[in-house]
Amino acid sequence: MKTTYLILAALLVTVAACSEQENTETASQAPIAEMPAMEQPIEAKPTAMLPNEINASDMSGDNVEQDASGKKVLYWYDPMLPDRHFSKSGLSPFMDMKLAPKYAE
């Protein structure tokens, strides 16, 4: 029984020594230099509009398919890319999720 306790104590001392050594190795390493911040974020501008995509500045809703709610739909948009507006409901060409309507207030 005493030998079991001695083996267990030796194992615990070994584990503690190993974790202490790992901590000192990571602390002694030189800090990693941070990457310089970009001056202006890069924005991906669409090069061409999709077939049922409308200009984001057009808020008239005149050329937009209406839904069955009775409210006026200004445009349809992908919840993952809300800056791209569409004239018809359906699936997003980007994420294959259902387009959500943006209603007039």
Side-chain angles (χ1 to χ4, degrees):
M1 182 97 162
K2 287 184 180 181
T3 56
T4 306
Y5 288 127
L6 288 174
I7 293 172
L8 184 58
L11 180 65
L12 289 174
V13 168
T14 305
V15 169
C18 288
S19 76
E20 216 173 276
Q21 182 181 7
E22 288 174 7
N23 287 342
T24 56
E25 285 177 1
T26 56
S28 65
Q29 291 176 351
I32 298 172
E34 292 185 25
M35 292 179 57
M38 294 174 47
E39 296 195 15
Q40 292 183 352
I42 299 172
E43 294 182 25
K45 299 284 184 184
T47 56
M49 293 181 69
L50 298 171
N52 68 332
E53 189 173 9
I54 58 175
N55 190 352
S57 63
D58 181 14
M59 294 295 216
S60 66
D62 295 335
N63 56 349
V64 177
E65 170 187 284
Q66 299 299 311
D67 66 353
S69 70
K71 301 177 191 174
K72 182 176 182 178
V73 178
L74 294 177
Y75 55 87
W76 296 85
Y77 68 98
D78 182 342
M80 299 296 288
L81 296 168
D83 58 333
R84 302 292 293 265
H85 301 172
F86 299 92
S87 62
K88 297 180 184 177
S89 64
L91 293 179
S92 166
F94 309 108
M95 305 290 176
D96 287 336
M97 17 183 342
K98 190 175 179 182
L99 294 174
K102 172 65 178 172
Y103 297 109
E105 302 274 336

